[in-house]
Amino acid sequence: MITVLFFGKLAEIAGAKAELQAVASTDELLEQLRLQYPALAAEKYIVAVDKKTITGNTSLTDHCTVALLPPFSGG
Amino acid sequence: MERKPKNIFTQGAIDPAFIAESIAKHSTKTDIGGHSIFLGQVRADVIDDKKVAAIEYTAYEELALEKMHIIREEIFSKYELTCMHVHHSLGKVAAGEICLFVFTSSAHRRAAIDACNEVVERIKTELPVWGKELFEDETHQWKVNR
């Protein structure tokens, strides 16, 4: 099971948390999410796997936590 | 021993009395010659005739604290600081209230001033924190940092 966390505006689109079964990579996961939540396609975000931001496709193992982070706006 | 990241988050606005107390606590550290303080305050921007009443902050707390820990270590290795304190609000902060408090101290002013500036900039660009601008009519938009 892969846990997906959504933050900021993305949490309004997809909810704060989702759980997905049997996804092998972040590309596959994002593809599934875009099918499920078409509004995600228009959003900007970076992806973190187990709290490390990634730049390219990354393979996932069971119990991974993937976070979708829209542009930061703290302070 | 690895140090556990310090918590920087406070629920709601940062009380000016807490800031005053925080300054007062440093009177025992007599090697300090200068403090630098940045206070972020929620602005009542008007966008399309609607006024911002408050900002509601959320964060990926675990990641934000880890990142802040790294920033802290890098700042301490770069500048001759005596100490540094960072407090950021979560939840709702009304216009006019304080949402960010960065406080650096050093023997000579330059290190405190430069470190404070750099920490504020890095907080804004590197910490996974999001501000939702709540308008008076209860609609909202997501804040964009400039």
Side-chain angles (χ1 to χ4, degrees), chain B residues 18-114:
Chain B
F18 170 80
I19 297 166
E21 206 175 289
S22 194
I23 297 167
K25 274 186 191 161
H26 289 72
S27 62
T28 53
K29 296 192 177 180
T30 50
D31 53 340
I32 293 173
H35 299 297
S36 191
I37 288 176
F38 176 83
L39 298 175
Q41 173 168 308
V42 173
R43 198 173 47 238
D45 277 350
V46 177
I47 299 145
D48 298 332
D49 293 331
K50 294 195 296 187
K51 198 192 257 184
V52 172
I55 294 180
E56 187 175 6
Y57 291 99
T58 50
Y60 187 1
E61 286 186 55
E62 275 181 281
L63 181 56
L65 296 181
E66 279 183 18
K67 190 77 211 179
M68 191 64 231
H69 185 70
I70 294 168
I71 295 172
R72 180 184 299 277
E73 306 231 301
E74 288 175 1
I75 291 289
F76 269 96
S77 62
K78 185 169 172 186
Y79 299 99
E80 286 285 321
L81 289 186
T82 313
C83 54
M84 166 175 146
H85 307 277
V86 174
H87 299 273
H88 194 301
S89 292
L90 285 184
K92 218 186 266 188
V93 182
E97 292 187 315
I98 304 296
C99 55
L100 175 62
F101 170 32
V102 176
F103 184 5
T104 53
S105 310
S106 54
H108 301 282
R109 71 187 180 286
R110 189 48 62 193
I113 293 168
D114 292 348

Side-chain angles (χ1 to χ4, degrees), chain B residues 68 71 75 84 86 102 104 114-124:
Chain B
M68 191 64 231
I71 295 172
I75 291 289
M84 166 175 146
V86 174
V102 176
T104 53
D114 292 348
C116 186
N117 284 341
E118 189 169 327
V119 169
V120 171
E121 293 308 313
R122 293 190 65 179
I123 285 171
K124 294 212 171 234

Side-chain angles (χ1 to χ4, degrees), chain A residues 5 7-9 12 48 51 65 67 69-75, chain B residues 57 60 62-63 66 88 125-127 129-131 140 142-143 145:
Chain A
L5 304 176
F7 292 93
K9 193 182 177 188
E12 290 184 336
K51 293 187 280 176
T65 298
L69 314 173
F72 306 153
S73 56
Chain B
Y57 291 99
Y60 187 1
E62 275 181 281
L63 181 56
E66 279 183 18
H88 194 301
T125 55
E126 296 177 38
L127 290 195
V129 177
W130 297 274
H140 71 264
W142 290 91
K143 182 174 176 264
N145 274 357

